[in-house]
Amino acid sequence: MSDHIYKTIEITGTSTNSIEEAVNNAVRHAAKTVRSLRWFVVTETRGEIDGDAVNHWQVTVKIGFTLDAST
């Protein structure tokens, strides 16, 4: 088993439906430009209130990915 070196990025996903969808939106978007995604950690959850209900979720996540092996 080889050792892995990880790098993290921090991004914020949004959703009008749920926290889970906001996380999935963030991961899905990151996967378009970053290879080898491995894990995520939710670092902040917040939202917008309209009247007496949550209108919009914002979830900040750190996403870890493995760096390509050097030759």
Side-chain angles (χ1 to χ4, degrees), residues 6 10-11 16 30 33 53:
Y6 296 95
E10 184 173 82
I11 60 176
T16 56
T33 58

Side-chain angles (χ1 to χ4, degrees), residues 30-38 64-68:
K32 292 178 182 178
T33 58
V34 179
R35 295 188 310 257
S36 303
L37 300 180
R38 296 291 182 234
F65 58 97
T66 55
L67 296 175
D68 292 339

Side-chain angles (χ1 to χ4, degrees), residues 3-20:
D3 293 330
H4 294 285
I5 302 299
Y6 296 95
K7 181 168 180 69
T8 60
I9 56 174
E10 184 173 82
I11 60 176
T12 301
T14 65
S15 170
T16 56
N17 296 316
S18 69
I19 294 171
E20 183 177 349

Side-chain angles (χ1 to χ4, degrees), residues 35-52:
R35 295 188 310 257
S36 303
L37 300 180
R38 296 291 182 234
W39 50 267
F40 74 91
V41 175
V42 173
T43 60
E44 186 174 13
T45 305
R46 61 189 174 275
E48 175 186 69
I49 299 170
D50 185 14
D52 61 353

